[in-house]
Amino acid sequence: IKTTDTEIAQLLDVAELISRLEAVMGEFSQRGAGLVQPVRSVVPLQKHGGFLGLMPAYLAHEDILCTKMVAFYQREQGSSLPTTQATVLLFDPVSGVVSAVMDGEVITARRTAAVSAISAKLLMPRHAEILCLLGSGHQAVSHYEVFTQAFTFKEVRVWSRSKERAEEFARAAGGPVTVCPSVKEAVEGADVIVTATNASEPLLFGKWVKSGAHVAAVGACRPDWRELDDDLMRDAVVYVDSREGAAAESGDVILSGAEVFAELGEMINGSMPAQRDKTTVFKSLGMGIQDAVSAKLVYDKWKSQQ
C-alpha cells in the first residue's frame, strides 16, 4: 500500500502512539536481544550541503521490520524547500516484501513530538503553565498539536527566524499563540521549551532559561550542529533517547562535554530517576525503533479499515 500524509496523521492517535513509544523505549534501555537497531548511517553530500540518513530496525518480539530514509539539508533562510524529506518502508519480515511505503515526514514529526511529550510528562515542572516553541516548521506544528492534546498550558509562545512563518503558525494553530520577536523574549519564564530548528550554532542560552524548566531539543542532529549553549548543557540534567546515538551524533552533547545522566527509557523503567525539580534537557535524535512502531500502528489501523 501507499499512504498519504493526511491518512497517516489521522491514523496516528496521540495517546496510543505515546503508549507504544514508552514501551519500546523502555525495552531499548534494557538492551535485550529483542531489538536490532544500529546507530543511524549517514552519507554526507558535501557538494550540496546535505546528508542522507538510513535508519533500519527490527523488533523481534513484535516481528516488525522497518527502515527510514531521510535526506536533511541546511537551507538558506527564505528557501521554499523543506529542511528534511523522508520515506518509511515497512516490510513483511517473513518474506522481505515491502508492505507499505509511507510519508516519513508525517511519521517523524508525530513520533518525535510524542517522544518529547513523554520526556515532558516525566521532567517538566509540576503545574507547568508556559510552553515555548522555537521553530515554525513541521516539527514545531506537530509538537504544538501533541503537547496541547497531552497537557494544558495557560500560554503558548512561538519564535521563528521568519516572522512571517511564525505569524502563519499562530494563525493556523487551534488556540491562542503569542509570536515573540526574539528567542530571549520567547523563552524567559517558560516552563517547557521545545527547540525544533535547523540551527547549526547555539541559539538557546542557559542564562535565559529559568531554573527548573524542561527543554526538549529535537534539532541539531549532526556532531557539529548545535541549538543549546555550553552553560545550558553543563548546568542541566541531560537525558537522551540513546547514549550511543548521542555520543555519535549530538553536537550539543559532544561539543559541550556535557554528561548524559540517563536515557528516556531508563526513566520509563524506573532504573534512573526523573529529576524534575532541576533544569532538564532531553536531547532527541530519533531512532529506527520509534519509526518502526509508528509505521506498524499506521499499517495495522489502515488494514483494519479495509
Side-chain angles (χ1 to χ4, degrees):
I1 69 165
K2 291 187 178 181
T3 54
T4 66
D5 54 355
T6 302
E7 290 172 327
I8 291 171
Q10 292 173 344
L11 294 169
L12 277 176
D13 175 76
V14 171
E16 189 171 1
L17 178 60
I18 285 175
S19 177
R20 294 201 182 190
L21 287 168
E22 284 179 329
V24 77
M25 296 298 291
E27 184 180 353
F28 172 81
S29 289
Q30 292 174 341
R31 295 302 191 276
L35 298 180
V36 180
Q37 179 199 251
V39 173
R40 174 168 35 208
S41 175
V42 177
V43 179
L45 306 171
Q46 295 179 349
K47 179 179 178 181
H48 303 293
F51 301 85
L52 176 65
L54 304 175
M55 301 171 65
Y58 177 57
L59 286 65
H61 295 160
E62 299 180 65
D63 216 20
I64 304 173
L65 180 62
C66 180
T67 192
K68 182 172 77 177
M69 299 170 289
V70 54
F72 45 103
Y73 286 72
Q74 289 185 295
R75 306 292 191 192
E76 296 293 333
Q77 186 172 346
S79 172
S80 60
L81 295 173
T83 302
T84 62
Q85 299 177 82
T87 300
V88 173
L89 302 179
L90 189 65
F91 297 85
D92 175 355
V94 176
S95 65
V97 173
V98 174
S99 303
V101 180
M102 304 181 190
D103 183 333
E105 275 306 291
V106 178
I107 287 177
T108 300
R110 185 56 65 96
R111 64 88 165 139
T112 302
V115 171
S116 294
I118 295 169
S119 79
K121 181 173 70 172
L122 295 168
L123 293 170
M124 71 181 183
R126 296 171 179 84
H127 313 298
E129 296 183 346
I130 302 174
L131 169 66
C132 170
L133 301 166
L134 301 182
S136 58
H138 291 304
Q139 284 286 2
V141 170
S142 191
H143 276 75
Y144 174 82
E145 293 172 347
V146 170
F147 272 60
T148 54
Q149 285 185 52
F151 312 110
T152 300
F153 296 99
K154 290 185 178 180
E155 182 182 0
V156 179
R157 305 171 184 169
V158 65
W159 170 88
S160 175
R161 295 183 191 276
S162 167
K163 182 181 178 182
E164 292 75 17
R165 290 185 181 179
E167 291 173 343
E168 181 180 341
F169 176 99
R171 286 193 298 269
V177 174
T178 301
V179 175
C180 297
S182 69
V183 174
K184 181 175 183 292
E185 291 176 70
V187 304
E188 284 187 330
D191 299 294
V192 181
I193 302 167
V194 175
T195 60
T197 75
N198 62 356
S200 58
E201 299 292 336
L203 53 74
L204 179 59
F205 295 85
K207 61 185 178 182
W208 299 339
V209 177
K210 83 171 189 178
S211 178
H214 175 57
V215 178
V218 304
C221 60
R222 295 295 300 149
D224 56 346
W225 294 1
R226 300 190 64 177
E227 290 184 303
L228 318 180
D229 79 334
D230 285 350
D231 289 342
L232 178 54
M233 288 299 297
R234 292 172 183 170
D235 292 343
V237 181
V238 178
Y239 297 81
V240 296
D241 43 17
S242 161
R243 292 180 186 273
E244 295 87 348
E249 295 187 301
S250 172
D252 284 319
V253 172
I254 296 166
L255 298 178
S256 69
E259 179 182 353
V260 172
F261 177 73
E263 290 180 342
L264 182 58
E266 291 176 312
M267 276 195 297
I268 293 169
N269 293 335
S271 59
M272 292 294 284
Q275 300 201 38
R276 68 188 314 154
D277 294 327
K278 298 183 179 180
T279 304
T280 54
V281 167
F282 170 59
K283 178 57 203 173
S284 174
L285 289 162
M287 304 168 70
I289 56 173
Q290 297 167 356
D291 296 316
V293 297
S294 303
K296 188 62 162 56
L297 177 58
V298 170
Y299 182 67
D300 288 345
K301 285 199 169 185
W302 178 87
K303 282 193 70 176
S304 71
Q305 296 176 3
Q306 303 309 302

